[in-house]
Amino acid sequence: MVSYKRLNPEEVNFSGATEDSGDAEAKTEDLERPLLEQRSQCSSTVALLTLGGLILVVLGVWLLGTVFWLRGPPSTEIHKPPPPVASPGQSREWDGGAQPESCTLIPEGWRFDCYPERGVVVNEEMCHKRNCCFIQVAEEKSPGQNGVPWCFYPPDFPSYELVTNNETEMGYRGKLVRRQKTYYPNDIETLQLDVLYESDSRLRIRVTDPAKDRYEVPIDVPVVKKKASNPLYTVEFTEQPFGLIVKRKQNGAVLLNTTVAPLFYADQFLQMSTSLASEFVYGLGEHRSNFLHDVQWNTLTMWTRDAAPVELTNLYGVHPFYLLMESDGLAHGSFLLNSNAMDVVLQPAPALTWRTIGGILDLYVFVGPDPSSVVGEYLEVVGKPAMPIYWALGYHLCRWGYDSSNNTWDVVKKMRNNQIPQDVQWNDIDYMDRALDFTHDPVNFATLPDLVKDLHIHDQHYVMILDPGISSTQPAGSYLPFQEGIKQGVFITNSSGDLLIGKVWPGLTAFPDFSNPDTHEWWYQNLKTFHDQVPFDGLWIDMNEPSNFLDGSVDGCPSNDLENPPYTPAVLGGSLRAKTVCASARQKLNSHYNLHNLYGLMEAKASASALKKLLKKRPFVISRSTFSSHGVYSGHWLGDNRSQWKDLYMSIPGMLTFNILGIPLVGADICGFSATTTEELCVRWTQLGAFYPFTRNHNTKDSQAQDPTVFSPAARKAMTEVLLLRYSLFPFLYTLFHHAHLSGHTVARPLFFEFPRDLKTYKIDKQFLWGKSLLVTPVLAPGVDYVVGYLPQGIWYDFYTGDSLVSKGEEIKLHAPLDKINLHLREGSITPTQRPNTTLWVSSSQPLHLIACLTEDGLAEGDLFWDDGETIDTYETDQYAYFIFRLKQNTMTSEVVHSHMEATYITVETVSFYGLKKGPTSVTVNSQEASFIYTTNQVLKVYDLGLNLSQNFTISWVS
């Protein structure tokens, strides 16, 4: 058979090596262009080459080039490992004999794991039985981490052959044939390849079984019937072995290259690898890690699981999408539309491997070219986030352990008495009667309906928790949710068709099957019945991985291929049934093996639908378990964190990751969920949490109370001030959510989104932006009154004072006493703020204050979206107002782009201009003289305006 085609060392122009001018093939074949840009040779290398003989020259160049290649900056060229092509006649049946010499020439970073099973010490005999290379590597590695694989694919490992490839209306359709079986059972020997040019910036690659329908993820994605007219990418094919290479037209950068490792497509083992254009990889949620993923042999396992966030563990959500920043500031992304258990392996080549145990290979490539466009293109496929109801952006307070509605009520009253902003009060499971869904404790929470009524009188709202586990052991006729659920057949069954029983908080439980439309109606009816008693405003859906205190069920799980697949990804607990229901369990749509990762998404969809029907307003849902497209229905909190400084920091990467995954309504439990916080930690966390898109303080019953009222007067004051600051920024934040809903933009944003050519921003995850312009630099360490923050090149203005700071792109030491979080506004921005109050209902009717931050040329621009805050689909039904503010040549204008009655209730009271170098002699507003103040720090404030937002206005000055 034809060997796996890779580059020979002499065909690669390594850093530090000179081009071999006699290699005509390397010059003429585009697939074998240099891996890296040329660099000047270091003098020591030249000396070695001069002193050495021909053999030393070749070996020296090859080894030095390999080192530079593995460690150097990313390239826009084809990324391929440099082992030589195996000899045409080489036998692959090693049978204990010497392995091919080509094995030793594969650099460590390009070794793709042939024995990925966890908990197995691979020896040479085991490896050779798979016809793979074996080289034992002595290395230091952290506990739980992978390292260089000892067993890896040789150059000629069998893969598929592209035997036909024909043009279609949408792109290409090919036939792939495997002529030699692999070591996993049930290879699918003939495959259908569809390459679909869906848009100029989106390519879709589907590999399916033409002889048999296989499970596919049941979420709505665009169905495109017309081929892109001017794609920003090219697609190249290799026939034997089959591979795809996708390049960016603009510069030839390689966005996908599957020729680097063999393709697997067995019934329960599908694997595809690609080179990566750089090591700057983001996304691939949900995992506790830095925002920038580590590519040093890092396996990210995806199988939803109830587990407190720790590194190297599969957590609550599954999002097989990554964003990659290229070395020149361009970006692209990929999304594998697959909901089965999977491992995503990152290795230092750099390269990535998708390894999943079911479904199909359905891969999207998003060309960008900027990171914001990549996220927008991804959300064009899975769905853009919903526009939240206005009070969702207020301050939320919760605790597991209030123990009674009166205790809950007391906290609400203390918050009011201290004039601390609060929009929403929550209850955890202690409000329930014996932990039963759709009930409240008739003794300890007897006054819950009165509490909710009181909240509504004060323009506040109520959210309670619901877990999916429905008690199955209540006396006959006493618990209608279970009784009616049995009648309607809404619960998950075992592989024999009998009711599957697990164990959660109420004891033995059945699990609703949210893949069944009948379950959605049953869910709605139960919510309606409970709402008649307790008129709640939103839902907190927890334990929906689904979580189970047992492994599988009370009866265990059968022994079959679904429970014990040929390959099990590196899931916590070692089996698919660990602390969840049996993989072989039956749901309406398919087996739980296929649908497990969708459970939270399907429950969120049912919950959002029920709330719309029940309340006739935008639904508010916060879910623990998530899947791609979840932002359409729900927000997310980052789970059961701890009251530790490390968890304070780790919340920022989590928040940024979920923003690029299309779930911008996200935050962590402020002050930490478990353990007991300290006053300093809680103050600093409240300051950071005030800039989570979703802001909630929540902790467990086993720790001390941590709402703002329990701390010292100084701490309460600091917390109150930062929450009022958040409320003052509501118009800005609300507009950011509009752009997220409309265009798929991020709300909380990594710095490199705005400064993609600044490589220093690529690793920053201790700071973030709101939108394009508000830079947040929180204190993340104890006992300090300063923080070091990075300010990208340009003019930045202190949010509070308007003092300007000109940065060359450098780290700055910022004063940060315990009562302050550092905020800076970017030059060229106009930010709408509002006079704050203790609820958003009151705040949102207050006058506006606009802050214009001038560039060196005196320019600035901003916008504002406004509606009634709760009606469904206001943008889609033209029930909104939209304004653009522009500053140019000493004149600021407000343009009403779209008018609506809501805007007539709001006035613009003041406008501040930061960075005005020369004080004005006069200021006019709509040609009338206006009052103003100009200060020595170059800030002009125009006040007492009383301008109606619904009418265009002009502010000008003469210097």
Side-chain angles (χ1 to χ4, degrees), residues 406-583:
N406 285 340
N407 288 343
T408 310
W409 206 341
D410 285 343
V411 172
V412 173
K413 292 174 182 176
K414 289 178 184 177
M415 293 286 287
R416 289 178 193 155
N417 291 337
N418 283 278
Q419 295 185 306
I420 303 173
Q422 183 189 4
D423 262 80
V424 194
Q425 180 60 52
W426 298 41
N427 275 125
D428 209 315
I429 59 172
D430 46 339
Y431 82 89
M432 297 180 184
D433 179 14
R434 293 162 291 156
L436 302 177
D437 276 354
F438 311 111
T439 70
H440 66 97
D441 186 328
V443 177
N444 294 322
F445 281 82
T447 61
L448 183 58
D450 299 317
L451 164 60
V452 175
K453 182 179 179 180
D454 178 71
L455 288 168
H456 291 166
I457 290 172
H458 288 85
D459 304 316
Q460 294 173 301
H461 301 84
Y462 180 72
V463 171
M464 85 286 187
I465 196 170
L466 278 181
D467 295 338
I470 301 297
S471 175
S472 62
T473 58
Q474 302 308 306
S478 67
Y479 187 48
L480 287 179
F482 178 72
Q483 180 179 317
E484 291 299 315
I486 290 294
K487 288 181 182 178
Q488 297 172 34
V490 304
F491 296 119
I492 294 175
T493 63
N494 62 25
S495 58
S496 301
D498 300 321
L499 187 65
L500 184 144
I501 299 296
K503 184 179 181 182
V504 201
W505 297 114
L508 299 182
T509 55
F511 296 88
D513 173 12
F514 290 103
S515 77
N516 184 349
D518 294 340
T519 307
H520 290 222
E521 178 61 23
W522 166 86
W523 191 246
Y524 163 72
Q525 291 296 339
N526 281 289
L527 285 170
K528 183 177 184 302
T529 300
F530 187 69
H531 189 268
D532 290 341
Q533 305 169 47
V534 180
F536 58 86
D537 301 290
L539 290 177
W540 171 19
I541 51 177
D542 191 15
M543 306 289 284
N544 55 348
E545 290 70 34
S547 180
N548 185 358
F549 297 165
L550 306 174
D551 289 347
S553 77
V554 292
D555 299 317
C557 301
S559 179
N560 57 34
D561 288 343
L562 295 183
E563 299 295 339
N564 305 295
Y567 174 80
T568 299
V571 299
L572 179 63
S575 70
L576 300 181
R577 62 182 172 273
K579 296 300 178 281
T580 190
V581 303
C582 298

Side-chain angles (χ1 to χ4, degrees), residues 385-388 390 393 618 664 728-749 770-773 830-834 848 850 861-867 869 875 880-885 949:
M387 186 67 186
Y390 76 96
L393 306 185
R618 297 175 202 166
S728 75
L729 285 162
F730 171 73
F732 179 51
L733 180 60
Y734 194 66
T735 301
L736 292 178
F737 269 97
H738 163 69
H739 290 302
H741 171 63
L742 180 64
S743 305
H745 292 174
T746 51
V747 173
R749 188 170 302 176
W770 265 13
K772 295 181 178 182
S773 57
I830 298 178
T831 304
T833 69
Q834 202 160 32
L848 294 178
L850 306 179
E861 186 170 319
D863 64 345
L864 174 65
F865 175 86
W866 206 250
D867 60 13
Y875 178 79
Y880 71 95
Y882 183 67
F883 314 90
I884 294 179
F885 310 108
L949 188 61

Side-chain angles (χ1 to χ4, degrees), residues 104-130:
T104 64
L105 299 179
I106 300 177
E108 291 182 352
W110 286 104
R111 295 177 184 176
F112 291 86
D113 199 347
C114 179
Y115 222 114
E117 286 81 355
R118 290 295 180 97
V120 177
V121 178
V122 184
N123 59 35
E124 188 169 7
E125 180 182 1
M126 295 163 63
C127 182
H128 285 181
K129 282 184 178 178
R130 294 189 171 185

